[in-house]
Amino acid sequence: MLYVFQVDTGTMITFDMTLALNTVSNLKEAIWSSYRIPVDRQVLLVSGGECLDPASRVCSYSAGTDTNPIFLFNKTNIESSPTSSGQHAPSSGSLENLTDIDSIKDQIKGCLDLPPTYMTVVSRAQLAQQLWEMAKDLSRRCEQLIHDQHLQHQGWAAVVANLEDVIVVFRQRAENFENAFMVYLGTKDDRLATLDSFEEDVALLREIPIIPSLLPSDSPSGDLTILDWIISQDNQKLESLSSECYKGLEKLNMSVIEALQREKKQVIENAENNKMKEIKGLEDRFFELDRLLNEGKTVVQDQYILAQAFLNNQNSASNERDSSILPDLCQAHQQQLMLMFRKHQHLDEIRRKCAKAKDELIGNLNTRLKWIMYVQHGLNETSNKLAIYNESLRRVRCQIEVVEQIHVAASIYGEAVVEVVRRKKFSESYNKWANQIAETMDKIHANEINLRNNFSARFEGHFLSALFSGLEDFPILFGNKRTEPFDLNLPTIPPEDIEMLRKAYPALPVEEELPDFTIDVSSTSRASEESSRSAVEIENLNLKLELERAKFELQTKDYEIQRLESLQAEEKDEFERTIKNETELRTVTLSEKDKEIQSLRDSIASLMEQHSSLSEVTTKEMRDLREELELIKTDHDKSIVEIQHRSETVVIETREKLLEEKENELRALREKHKAELEGLRSRYKLMSSFDQRSPSDIQDKSFDSLERIPRTDDLLAELGKVADLSQKNPNDGIINQMIKGIITRLEGSAIGMIPQSPEKGSTSPAILRARAGASEEGPMSRASIEAEEEPAMGNVKSVYGLDTSAIDATAMCNSSDDSETMSQELSEILIPSSDIVNLANNFAKAGRITIQSCKAGDNVFIYFNDKLKAYLVYLSNKNVYFLHTDCLKMLDHSQECPVKGFLAQVTEREFCVARRANNRYRVPQGFHFHRIRVKVLQIINDSSSK
């Protein structure tokens, strides 16, 4: 799919992927046909701010995915939206009610009113599944709303980047125009001077005739001047050209560039408004939205757990077929349904917050997009003005160039006539000389060949030929090629026409005498007689030709040299005047500066005197202050020592008095309640024998009906009596130990019992779920049972006002002396070796295992403890997890050569208490630990660990 995200409404648009192979203009047409957005009102951008070219293919841009879409902006929506973000209508439809809370509430109310039957359990389980599905739907909607806001932020960043690119181009265009305009202003005076002499130049061109040989043969006969020929070539009137140049020069003055500079500065300041570019607080808002999304996912997970509990209870009720448990089960379902309804309301509120945040962002972005359009409008207006003035400047330049060519047309005409005559004469002389050279070289070569042949005929065959080697060579033919004629297309200008121009118009640069290019080649005619001197004569001829050419070039440049000398003289006079003025100005300035320097020196001298006097006074005052500070510090130290001594004395006396008072009160209370304490001690001994049962023992029992489960009314009544004693004697350790024992019995029997509140007698849904699903799921973990018991036990503790933290602290103080030595020895045994620690940490860093928890589904590292002769889970906390002995057969375990360690996935765990001193795990009696079953993933030996 091709993804296009409309930023101003926060909606994603999708098209078929075949559009990516078409042009951008085809994509705009598809948007118009599907969503009725006019093509001229669409703006398409990609990340980075690049605007899509209508002639380019869509696939040439790296965009169009769901995470990096093409950003669409509808100018019509932006212009029509209100300026205030609080007054806009939500275009995204984000505040529509996805769920009808009232209808859900009615459904729950109807389920709550049903009688306690099995069908009621089924209907409530179905309603719980419906609530879970709706929670997933709400969570997906929240995630989509937050994703849309992130995409809107990306679209806004693309708009800002595009604006910055446009500003860079605008700056460059404005600077180019300013530079060109300043160059124009620098030459404006010279061009005005040229325009002032325009009438004289035109009058001169009106009098200068064109030589007939320069005109084509079919031209009309008669005297034709240069001005007539110019007018015949271009229909423009020269008089209007002059007036247009004057108007253009008057219009393009310094005020134009100053006004443009002010507009440019204002436009750039508007575009560089960082308050509008940056949306403050957006990062914090995204952080809060992410927090809400995580909170919503947690609620969805809670809804899933509760819905699964409903299904488990339904399955348990179906399997047991015991109608006696249905009233308590239905009563627990009522509380759980209300809990799910509250969580659903909370999740819907999260969705409403996400939707409201999106609508607020849409309003904010529409305001900023309006500002972008305002800035773009200002940029376009200023750019259009720059284009208009640039075109005017170009037109004036072209017109001035024509005027300047007319100004030098007369002199160029004379120079061209002389140049044509010169080239004609030169080509004729050069061709003649070159042909003579070729003939001479032919004769020289033929003569030399003839001489060598005659000598060879006489010398060949003679016995002396053996002494003279190399006489068989012959000269190479050189310089015998005749030149092709050139300058044949030049017009033929007779000398009398030049003479006529020179006499009639002396101002034309026509030379009085043309250089003579007649070349004396008579010396070359004798080359056949003396071949040895031919090369020297040819060189002399070349030198003579170069000399004549240089002479002509010097003569033709005399006029230009005179002009340069006159300009140099004028510049020299101007330079001398400027130097003179600057010298006079510098003299006056230096005298003024000398006076200022003298006054500053006087001021500095007076300031130095004041500084020296103030320094002496300040030094004296600082010395006195230091002495006073030392005295104050000494007195302060003495006072602190005295105060400390007094406070220690008072604290010791107060502590002794308080201890004596507490001992007297404790002695009186013990005498008063001695009989009650004896009865409580005997009762506590009976209860502590019951406390030795582990939760795993309790879980192993099967429950057929509610009659087999002992109720906790007696325990709660007993707990109330002991709680009254605890409130009267909060520091009595024996009473606290009794309370701890009763609470432990309640917590230990929570798996097989349904605790009831002293006030309402309601059944805990979590404990009922644990009991109902015990036969199918096996023994449950201690951590999960304790987590499910927490609401019920919290009610008990809140009713009787018990502080279990104080009880736990008292119990720990009483038992710490007996088990301190044993705990230290066991802690040392449980510490793994450094190799095991390094290996486990490496797996954790690689993300293959977790060392923070050990619950079902976690991947953990299990190693062999040599001292305990058992497999333990490596964790970063102090919890102890042993491997169940049933899993050893998967490892091919032997006591002689055990497996060093392996990676495994936890499938089941259970809480255990060591009931005997000599047990299979070699831990002390009463030690609490967990036992897990796993699925082996990878066995680690020495080679694989490396």
Side-chain angles (χ1 to χ4, degrees):
M1 299 296 290
L2 182 66
Y3 292 87
V4 179
F5 185 76
Q6 188 173 351
V7 179
D8 52 289
T9 60
T11 56
M12 183 72 78
I13 303 172
T14 57
F15 296 95
D16 191 76
M17 200 60 190
T18 55
L19 270 177
L21 302 176
N22 297 330
T23 61
V24 176
S25 59
N26 296 129
L27 176 60
K28 289 188 174 182
E29 292 292 338
I31 295 173
W32 158 250
S33 61
S34 300
Y35 299 95
R36 313 310 297 173
I37 301 176
V39 175
D40 59 338
R41 308 301 292 171
Q42 299 176 22
V43 178
L44 296 177
L45 299 177
V46 296
S47 295
E50 184 179 1
C51 187
L52 272 64
D53 185 10
S56 300
R57 285 189 176 186
V58 178
C59 60
S60 61
Y61 300 94
S62 300
T65 62
D66 55 343
T67 57
N68 184 25
I70 298 172
F71 297 108
L72 169 65
F73 299 87
N74 186 358
K75 291 184 179 180
T76 304
N77 282 351
I78 297 171
E79 291 174 351
S80 62
S81 62
T83 56
S84 176
S85 61
Q87 297 175 356
H88 78 283
S91 58
S92 63
S94 55
L95 290 180
E96 60 182 359
N97 287 327
L98 299 180
T99 57
D100 193 353
I101 301 297
D102 294 334
S103 64
I104 296 172
K105 189 174 182 180
D106 294 339
Q107 293 181 27
I108 294 175
K109 186 177 180 181
C111 284
L112 294 179
D113 296 337
L114 294 176
T117 62
Y118 175 75
M119 294 307 298
T120 301
V121 175
V122 173
S123 63
R124 290 177 180 178
Q126 293 175 353
L127 182 57
Q129 292 295 319
Q130 181 183 354
L131 287 172
W132 174 50
E133 293 293 336
M134 296 172 72
K136 290 193 297 182
D137 210 19
L138 287 173
S139 179
R140 284 193 295 267
R141 179 58 178 166
C142 293
E143 190 171 359
Q144 183 62 40
L145 289 171
I146 296 174
H147 180 64
D148 291 345
Q149 295 179 60
H150 282 284
L151 289 179
Q152 285 180 297
H153 187 213
Q154 293 179 16
W156 172 248
V159 172
V160 173
N162 178 265
L163 178 62
E164 292 176 352
D165 294 341
V166 172
I167 288 296
V168 170
V169 175
F170 174 76
R171 283 178 185 270
Q172 187 63 38
R173 185 182 300 173
E175 289 177 1
N176 293 339
F177 175 76
E178 290 175 3
N179 295 334
F181 200 87
M182 295 307 294
V183 172
Y184 154 77
L185 290 179
T187 59
K188 184 177 179 180
D189 295 337
D190 297 337
R191 293 175 176 179
L192 286 173
T194 303
L195 275 175
D196 292 340
S197 62
F198 180 75
E199 298 295 336
E200 299 176 0
D201 297 333
V202 171
L204 179 60
L205 295 179
R206 188 178 289 114
E207 296 176 358
I208 300 175
I210 293 180
I211 298 173
S213 59
L214 299 178
L215 298 172
S217 59
D218 56 349
S219 61
S221 60
D223 295 336
L224 185 65
T225 63
I226 296 178
L227 182 62
D228 296 335
W229 181 82
I230 293 173
I231 294 174
S232 66
Q233 297 296 319
D234 191 359
N235 294 327
Q236 184 179 8
K237 295 182 179 180
L238 298 182
E239 292 79 4
S240 62
L241 176 65
S242 175
S243 60
E244 288 179 4
C245 288
Y246 273 117
K247 290 180 181 178
L249 292 175
E250 291 176 358
K251 182 179 179 181
L252 300 175
N253 49 27
M254 194 65 187
S255 60
V256 172
I257 193 66
E258 290 176 354
L260 283 176
Q261 286 177 345
R262 287 194 298 270
E263 289 187 17
K264 182 193 78 171
K265 182 179 179 182
Q266 183 63 36
V267 167
I268 292 175
E269 286 179 356
N270 292 338
E272 292 180 349
N273 188 355
N274 292 327
K275 292 183 179 179
M276 295 298 292
K277 287 183 180 180
E278 180 182 0
I279 306 177
K280 292 186 177 180
L282 192 59
E283 296 297 331
D284 296 337
R285 174 172 291 219
F286 282 154
F287 177 79
E288 181 64 21
L289 289 174
D290 291 339
R291 187 191 65 79
L292 287 175
L293 181 61
N294 293 331
E295 185 177 344
K297 291 180 178 179
T298 304
V299 173
V300 172
Q301 184 64 24
D302 293 343
Q303 295 287 74
Y304 168 73
I305 294 173
L306 292 172
Q308 289 299 115
F310 272 90
L311 289 178
N312 293 337
N313 291 336
Q314 178 185 344
N315 295 332
S316 299
S318 176
N319 293 333
E320 293 183 6
R321 301 181 182 277
D322 187 0
S323 59
S324 61
I325 65 172
L326 292 177
D328 292 335
L329 186 62
C330 292
Q331 187 177 3
H333 281 181
Q334 291 179 356
Q335 297 178 1
Q336 290 179 345
L337 278 177
M338 293 307 298
L339 178 61
M340 292 187 73
F341 178 68
R342 289 194 296 271
K343 289 183 179 292
H344 182 80
Q345 286 180 320
H346 179 56
L347 191 58
D348 189 69
E349 183 63 26
I350 292 175
R351 181 199 60 79
R352 291 178 183 274
K353 289 181 180 179
C354 294
K356 183 179 179 182
K358 180 180 178 181
D359 288 327
E360 290 176 355
L361 183 60
I362 289 174
N364 195 306
L365 285 181
N366 282 334
T367 303
R368 295 175 188 274
L369 289 173
K370 272 195 170 184
W371 169 76
I372 289 288
M373 294 186 65
Y374 167 74
V375 172
Q376 289 279 10
H377 182 69
L379 281 172
N380 292 335
E381 287 187 351
T382 309
S383 298
N384 292 335
K385 288 184 180 179
L386 285 175
I388 293 171
Y389 282 116
N390 193 26
E391 180 63 23
S392 301
L393 184 60
R394 187 193 64 80
R395 187 182 300 109
V396 169
R397 280 180 174 176
C398 293
Q399 294 171 350
I400 290 296
E401 185 177 355
V402 174
V403 172
E404 290 178 347
Q405 290 185 6
I406 290 174
H407 180 66
V408 297
S411 60
I412 293 295
Y413 178 72
E415 292 175 3
V417 170
V418 173
E419 180 67 16
V420 169
V421 175
R422 185 192 68 79
R423 291 190 180 186
K424 274 285 187 182
K425 198 166 185 178
F426 173 79
S427 61
E428 293 174 0
S429 300
Y430 182 80
N431 288 332
K432 183 178 179 182
W433 171 78
N435 293 332
Q436 288 178 356
I437 291 294
E439 292 176 358
T440 302
M441 294 304 295
D442 280 337
K443 292 178 181 179
I444 292 172
H445 183 266
N447 185 32
E448 179 65 20
I449 294 295
N450 189 24
L451 291 174
R452 292 194 182 206
N453 287 332
N454 293 334
F455 178 77
S456 297
R458 294 171 56 199
F459 191 69
E460 185 178 359
H462 197 277
F463 63 88
L464 293 177
S465 60
L467 295 175
F468 300 93
S469 61
L471 292 177
E472 64 275 5
D473 293 340
F474 287 90
I476 299 173
L477 187 60
F478 171 74
N480 64 333
K481 186 178 180 181
R482 295 179 180 273
T483 60
E484 295 291 337
F486 60 93
D487 288 342
L488 298 178
N489 296 325
L490 290 175
T492 303
I493 301 176
E496 53 270 17
D497 289 344
I498 298 176
E499 187 66 20
M500 182 268 296
L501 287 175
R502 184 182 64 79
K503 291 180 179 180
Y505 306 103
L508 290 177
V510 181
E511 297 292 341
E512 295 182 357
E513 294 182 1
L514 292 174
D516 187 8
F517 278 89
T518 304
I519 301 173
D520 186 10
V521 294
S522 60
S523 59
T524 60
S525 63
R526 296 188 298 275
S528 60
E529 300 175 358
E530 298 179 0
S531 60
S532 59
R533 296 186 300 173
S534 60
V536 177
E537 291 173 354
I538 292 172
E539 185 68 24
N540 291 334
L541 289 174
N542 290 333
L543 292 174
K544 184 181 290 186
L545 180 62
E546 292 294 333
L547 182 61
E548 293 294 336
R549 185 183 300 170
K551 180 179 178 181
F552 173 75
E553 290 178 356
L554 290 174
Q555 289 175 354
T556 55
K557 291 182 179 179
D558 284 343
Y559 176 73
E560 191 68 25
I561 292 173
Q562 291 176 1
R563 286 181 61 192
L564 292 174
E565 288 177 352
S566 62
L567 290 174
Q568 186 177 4
E570 293 177 359
E571 290 178 356
K572 184 177 180 182
D573 295 340
E574 183 66 25
F575 179 73
E576 290 177 353
R577 287 195 298 271
T578 304
I579 292 297
K580 184 178 179 181
N581 295 334
E582 289 181 357
T583 304
E584 293 176 355
L585 181 61
R586 191 172 296 173
T587 303
V588 174
T589 305
L590 288 174
S591 61
E592 294 177 354
K593 294 295 182 183
D594 290 338
K595 293 179 182 179
E596 291 179 1
I597 290 170
Q598 186 62 35
S599 63
L600 288 173
R601 286 175 179 172
D602 297 339
S603 301
I604 290 170
S606 62
L607 290 173
M608 290 295 292
E609 293 176 358
Q610 294 177 5
H611 176 70
S612 59
S613 61
L614 289 173
S615 297
E616 293 176 358
V617 174
T618 304
T619 303
K620 185 177 179 181
E621 291 179 355
M622 289 293 293
R623 187 166 52 252
D624 297 340
L625 289 174
R626 287 194 184 95
E627 293 176 356
E628 293 179 2
L629 183 61
E630 290 295 332
L631 294 174
I632 293 171
K633 187 176 181 181
T634 304
D635 295 340
H636 179 68
D637 294 339
K638 292 179 180 179
S639 301
I640 289 175
V641 172
E642 293 178 359
I643 291 171
Q644 289 178 349
H645 180 69
R646 292 176 183 175
S647 62
E648 291 175 357
T649 305
V650 172
V651 168
I652 292 171
E653 293 177 356
T654 305
R655 187 179 298 169
E656 290 177 354
K657 291 180 180 179
L658 290 174
L659 289 175
E660 185 177 356
E661 292 176 358
K662 292 296 181 182
E663 289 178 356
N664 294 333
E665 292 178 0
L666 182 60
R667 193 178 300 110
L669 288 172
R670 285 179 178 174
E671 292 294 335
K672 183 178 181 181
H673 301 288
K674 184 175 181 180
E676 295 179 0
L677 290 176
E678 290 297 332
L680 291 173
R681 284 192 184 96
S682 60
R683 187 180 300 175
Y684 174 70
K685 290 178 182 179
L686 293 175
M687 287 188 292
S688 39
S689 63
F690 179 76
D691 292 338
Q692 298 300 322
R693 295 182 303 165
S694 66
S696 59
D697 295 335
I698 297 174
Q699 294 171 2
D700 292 337
K701 296 179 180 180
S702 60
F703 299 95
D704 296 332
S705 64
L706 290 175
E707 284 74 7
R708 299 183 184 180
I709 303 174
R711 303 186 63 85
T712 59
D713 295 340
D714 297 335
L715 291 176
L716 293 175
E718 184 178 353
L719 181 62
K721 295 177 182 180
V722 179
D724 295 336
L725 294 176
S726 176
Q727 292 177 358
K728 297 177 181 179
N729 303 292
N731 298 324
D732 196 311
I734 297 175
I735 297 176
N736 291 335
Q737 288 182 5
M738 292 181 64
I739 295 173
K740 179 67 175 179
I742 296 172
I743 293 175
T744 303
R745 292 173 60 189
L746 288 171
E747 293 176 350
S749 60
I751 301 172
M753 299 170 62
I754 304 177
Q756 297 179 350
S757 173
E759 296 178 358
K760 298 181 180 180
S762 60
T763 305
S764 171
I767 297 174
L768 180 59
R769 184 173 64 254
R771 175 185 171 238
S775 60
E776 297 181 2
E777 299 178 357
M780 298 177 63
S781 65
R782 176 74 176 184
S784 61
I785 294 174
E786 289 176 354
E788 293 172 344
E789 289 175 357
E790 185 175 355
M793 297 309 301
N795 293 334
V796 174
K797 295 173 184 178
S798 62
V799 169
Y800 295 107
L802 300 179
D803 187 3
T804 58
S805 60
I807 299 172
D808 294 339
T810 306
M812 288 178 64
C813 291
N814 293 334
S815 62
S816 60
D817 296 335
D818 298 334
S819 61
E820 181 176 2
T821 304
M822 184 181 300
S823 299
Q824 291 178 356
E825 294 176 356
L826 184 59
S827 299
E828 293 176 358
I829 293 173
L830 292 175
I831 296 175
S833 63
S834 59
D835 296 338
I836 297 298
V837 173
N838 294 333
L839 187 59
N841 288 333
N842 290 334
F843 283 125
K845 290 179 182 178
R848 301 184 61 184
I849 64 170
T850 177
I851 60 174
Q852 304 294 334
S853 63
C854 184
K855 57 182 181 296
D858 288 347
N859 292 341
V860 297
F861 177 70
I862 302 176
Y863 66 95
F864 186 76
N865 191 303
D866 296 332
K867 296 180 180 179
L868 296 178
K869 301 299 181 181
Y871 286 95
L872 284 83
V873 178
Y874 178 82
L875 293 174
S876 61
N877 50 40
K878 296 182 180 181
N879 295 332
V880 180
Y881 288 82
F882 283 97
L883 180 66
H884 202 286
T885 54
D886 294 344
C887 298
L888 295 178
K889 57 185 178 181
M890 294 187 293
L891 302 175
D892 193 15
H893 173 76
S894 64
Q895 295 293 337
E896 293 77 10
C897 185
V899 177
K900 179 181 179 180
F902 60 94
L903 302 183
Q905 184 179 20
V906 180
T907 59
E908 184 182 348
R909 73 173 184 179
E910 56 185 351
F911 179 78
C912 302
V913 178
R915 301 179 63 183
R916 298 187 301 273
N918 297 324
N919 51 70
R920 71 180 72 176
Y921 296 109
R922 296 178 176 84
V923 294
Q925 184 179 3
F927 183 75
H928 292 195
F929 61 94
H930 289 82
R931 186 170 57 184
I932 63 172
R933 299 177 186 269
V934 299
K935 179 176 69 175
V936 178
L937 300 179
Q938 180 183 353
I939 297 177
I940 308 299
N941 50 33
D942 294 338
S943 60
S944 61
S945 64
K946 293 179 182 179

